[in-house]
Structures are given as structure tokens and as C-alpha cells.
Amino acid sequence: MHIAVLGMGRMGRAVAGRLLDGGHRVTVWNRTEGKAAELISAGATEAGTVAAAVSGVDAALTALADDAAVTSVAFGELQTSLDSGTPYIDCSTVSPALGAALADGFGDRFLALPIVGGPGTVTAGKATLLAGGPAQLRERLAPLLGTLSERVRHYDSAAHALTAKVTTNFLLISGVAALAEAFTVGRSGGLGDDQLRELLADAPVVAPAVANRFDAVLTASPDGWWTTVLGAKDAGLAVDIAAEAGAHLPLAEIVRTRYEDAARTNPGADIAAIAALYRDGGDSAQV
Amino acid sequence: MHIAVLGMGRMGRAVAGRLLDGGHRVTVWNRTEGKAAELISAGATEAGTVAAAVSGVDAALTALADDAAVTSVAFGELQTSLDSGTPYIDCSTVSPALGAALADGFGDRFLALPIVGGPGTVTAGKATLLAGGPAQLRERLAPLLGTLSERVRHYDSAAHALTAKVTTNFLLISGVAALAEAFTVGRSGGLGDDQLRELLADAPVVAPAVANRFDAVLTASPDGWWTTVLGAKDAGLAVDIAAEAGAHLPLAEIVRTRYEDAARTNPGADIAAIAALYRDGGDSAQV
């Protein structure tokens, strides 16, 4: 198949690379050019506009940061230039409300495909795809999904797939925030980092996906791909989904606030950098 | 050895039962009598007073609910009646500050021995013991500890063992609270409980110890042994340890507040019952 991948953040590049490796033809586009050099060496074509990127493709795919970015691309040039029968797939983590709006706007050719797993997991073909849309479309796109990963969960609507994604993300980002506070408890009580590592690194109270970031949280490392800004956004999506149904989530609200606090200092840092708020036993962001 | 076990809550009973099974002689005591029938059938002796319970024993052990209960027993009848050379072991989850005070009051014969794992885990011999006290005392008590579990982590002070316990507990109780909110997100977005089970029951974003309570949180089950009151206490201990060192833990504070909210409705319910605060999509406790 010939796929246009719109958005060359880390996730967009991983998806495009995986599709190329799987034998698909890939055209890439990004708001600012020059982020796709490696993909172009590997055989992708870069287009200067969304219209040029999606011309004649079998499917268009977006992998963008948030609701605003997806809205701008999807309801902008994409909608006006995509051939009327061509499927549109969005891999971004956006609100179920936007997912529903995209399903309205693009009809039964829209598939929400949020991805559980980081870019490295996508590259390795080990990510879990949450496919939300009409059954017929999911069947039609099965070869494409199969290239990305064998692990696919199916949902009958974009909104349900996105709700599942936000629910999953919330557990990971709240787990990272709780680990940062747990380290603060341990250090405040006089335990050294080696003692904390021995106590908790393989402990059943730490989720495996959080344990992947264990040393990153211990050192408040900024290196990674899931930024504090995205963490705040994802916690906010969780709060909003619940609020829409009349439910109040005090824990998620605090998690969002903490990532916002962390993002003020270092917006490009990984979510593990939330631990910097607690470093040296104090809480500089609150003072 | 002849051991006095003071406190016949679920944990005290599990510890006493395990010691009996291991061939030790056990005398039990509780503030109110009549909770030890099964142990007495199994060979334990019940004493009417702390003084009678600890008379002539090789070690006294407390397993009580909180700082107030331990303070009352340890600095009351226990201190005045325990033979001067006899070791005193406290298995309760109390503050490191109380641990330090007990080490002061009882000297180098005091061992803090908080236990990671529930009563069932203790009974099965699979719990992790956090032994905090003088090295000589830990060696002397090795046969007793070995009867309880092969898994022992050693700390040079009672305060450090208790800090490790509170750090561990905080991760579990915050994980349970986050799971309750995650379910609320999923349900608010229209996912059914079967879909949430499929998405999350074995997902790497849920810690194994939290996954043990997965269905209990999904159903807000009150059945279990770690009560909402104890959850609020443990989160409070985490907050206090950090505050003592000048650190502020916004997440732990909210977790404490949520368990306090849950405890107002049903103090004897398991921590999983925190999910009842969110049931039916609303948040009755906040309204």
C-alpha cells in the first residue's frame, strides 16, 4: 500500500519506519521540514504540503501531539485534499470527543488507532494497537495494521478506542508520579538510592511499564520521548472524559498539575523528569 | 522458642499461626479476648494481660493497627513487665519516629519487623520481612525470622525498615486509588467492565500487587484485610516522613484524603472499596 504519514515526531517516524520495513510505500510530511532524513534514506518520499503528501495514497495517517494539531491538519488541508474513498487513520492520543468529531467529518473511512507503547516498541512491532471504527474499515485495513503489530484490540468507535488509550496512559503517568513521591518518602526517611533500588526495582508494587523508567525517575532523567507536556495533556484528557460524565477525579487532577509544574521548568523532558520537582528532599516548584 | 504475640488482628493471627506451625510455643493476647479461638485450637495459649502473656517468653511481638495502639501497649504494660534481656519485635506499620522511640526505650533488644504482604502471604511463608535493628539482634532472632519467611531485607535501624515499609505501602495504595480512577475514566467514556478487564487486567501499566485487587476495585468490594482506615493511615505516614524532611507530596496527600473519604462511609472495608467513591459515574463523597 501507499501510505502518507503526517507528523514526524518520534511516534510518526517510528510508524513510518515500520511501514517502510514492511514493504509499504511511504510519503511523509511535517509542519516543518527536515525531520525525516533517516526515513528518506530508507526509501520514503517527503512532500512539501499535506495535499501533495496524500495525493493518490491508499491511506493517510496522522501522528500528532494533541487535539489542536490533529484538528488543524485533519479539518484543514487533509479533508479538502484526501480522495473521497481513501481511509484516514489517526494514531495520536487525542480526546474521544475529537475522535467522534473526526468520525463525523470523515464518515466510515475514519479509524482511530492510538498506540500503546513507545516509539521503540512500535519499531520492534510489539506495540498494542487500539483500533476504533467501523468493522468493515478495520477489516479493510488489516494488512496495514498487521504490518505495524500483531497485537490489535478492536473497538466499535473511535471514541471507545481513545477512551481505552487515555485510561491506559493515565495509569502509567500516575504510576511514574507516585514512584517519584515514593522515592521522596524513602530518601526523606534516610534510605539511599541503592536501598530503594533493591527494595522496589523488581517489587510487585511497581508496574512493569513504570519499572522501565525506574532509574530514569530515580535520577529525574529528562531523556525519553513522552514529555512532561504530553503527560499533563494525557492526565487532562482523563479528567475531561470523567468530567463529561459528571465524575470528579482528584488524583488525576493532581497528576495533571504535577506534570504541568514539571513542564514549566522543562517542557521537552520525559515524564520521568517529574522527579526533579522533589529532588534534594525539597519541593522547589511549590515554594 | 516461646513467643508472645500481642494483637489478634488479621496480621497478628497470621504471624502467630505461622510461628505455631513452625514449632514455636505461642502465647497470645488481645485487648479484647475471644479473637484467637482458632489459634488456641491449634495449640496457642491465651493470656488475660500483657504481663501474663510475656512472662518467661523468649521474645515478645506486637502486631497492632497504628502508632497509638503500639505506643499504648509497648510503653505501657509491656515495658514494665518484659524481662530486661528479652527481645521485643514490632510487626506493625507505624511511623519511623515511633520506631526510633521504641529503639530508644527498649535499647538494642528492639527489632522493627514490618511485613510486606497480606495475612495470607504470611501464612504461606511468602511475605517479605523488613528487619530493622542492631545486627547482633537480627542474628540472634534469625531462627524466628526464618520460621516466618525466607525473604528478609535487613536495615540498620528500626526507622529505616519502617521507612521502607511505608514507601512500599504508598505505592500499593496509590496504585489502587489510581486504578479506581482509571475505571472511572473508562466507564465515563463508555467502556464496559469486560472491556476494561480485557484492556487492563494483565496490562504492564498495572502493578502485580494492584492486579491482585483488580476485580475487587472493579466491583468496589469491601472484602479484604487492608482497611480504608489503614490506607489513610499509611498515606499519612508517607506524607509525614516527607514533611519531616521538608518535602511536600501532593499526590500522597490526595491519596490520604481519598481513603479518608472512603473510610467515612465504610471504615472496615478493604482499600478496594475506595472505588465506591466513583461508582455510577458520579462522585458522591464530593457532592
Side-chain angles (χ1 to χ4, degrees), chain B residues 87-151:
Chain B
Y88 165 41
I89 303 164
D90 179 34
C91 295
S92 320
T93 300
V94 294
S95 68
L98 177 55
L102 291 166
D104 275 353
F106 287 83
D108 58 13
R109 63 186 170 130
F110 175 68
L111 185 75
L113 191 70
I115 298 175
V116 178
T121 315
V122 170
T123 301
K126 305 282 189 198
T128 298
L129 313 176
L130 306 179
Q136 231 176 352
L137 180 65
R138 284 182 271 128
E139 273 167 44
R140 180 176 164 192
L141 291 172
L144 182 65
L145 303 190
T147 304
L148 283 175
S149 176
E150 283 179 7
R151 302 173 193 189

Side-chain angles (χ1 to χ4, degrees), chain A residues 153 160 163 167 170 174 178 181-182 185-186 188-190 198 204-205 207-209 241 245 247-252 254-255 258 278 281 283 286, chain B residues 153 160 163 167 170 174 178 181-182 185-186 188-190 198 204-205 207-209 241 245 247-252 254-255 278 281 283 286:
Chain A
R153 286 189 194 285
H160 284 174
T163 294
T167 300
F170 168 64
S174 64
E181 294 209 350
V185 174
S188 297
E198 203 181 309
V205 291
I241 292 169
H248 172 218
L249 302 184
L251 196 65
I254 282 289
V255 169
R258 293 312 274 166
Y278 302 94
D283 184 359
Q286 293 289 318
Chain B
R153 287 190 191 284
H160 284 173
T163 294
T167 301
F170 168 64
S174 65
E181 296 211 350
V185 174
S188 297
E198 203 180 308
V205 291
I241 291 170
H248 172 219
L249 303 184
L251 196 65
I254 283 288
V255 169
Y278 302 94
D283 185 359
Q286 293 289 315

Side-chain angles (χ1 to χ4, degrees), chain A residues 96 116 130 153-156 159-161 163-172 174-175 177-191 195-196 198-200 203-210 237-239 241-243 245-255 258 278 280-283 286, chain B residues 96 116 130 153-156 159-161 163-172 174-175 177-191 195-196 198-200 203-210 237-239 241-243 245-255 258 278 280-283 286:
Chain A
V116 177
L130 306 179
R153 286 189 194 285
H154 291 271
Y155 295 91
D156 61 3
H160 284 174
T163 294
K165 179 57 160 49
V166 172
T167 300
T168 306
N169 278 15
F170 168 64
L171 284 170
L172 196 140
S174 64
L179 188 62
E181 294 209 350
F183 288 150
T184 308
V185 174
R187 287 167 177 160
S188 297
L191 299 184
Q195 285 175 305
L196 288 169
E198 203 181 309
L199 177 70
L200 296 175
V205 291
V206 180
V210 174
L237 289 173
V239 169
I241 292 169
H248 172 218
L249 302 184
L251 196 65
E253 284 170 22
I254 282 289
V255 169
R258 293 312 274 166
Y278 302 94
D280 306 323
D283 184 359
Q286 293 289 318
Chain B
V116 178
L130 306 179
R153 287 190 191 284
H154 291 271
Y155 295 90
D156 61 5
H160 284 173
T163 294
K165 179 57 160 51
V166 173
T167 301
T168 306
N169 278 15
F170 168 64
L171 284 171
L172 196 140
S174 65
L179 189 62
E181 296 211 350
F183 288 150
T184 309
V185 174
R187 286 166 177 162
S188 297
L191 299 184
Q195 286 176 305
L196 289 169
E198 203 180 308
L199 177 71
L200 296 174
V205 291
V206 180
V210 174
L237 289 173
V239 169
I241 291 170
H248 172 219
L249 303 184
L251 196 65
E253 284 169 22
I254 283 288
V255 169
R258 292 312 274 165
Y278 302 94
D280 305 323
D283 185 359
Q286 293 289 315

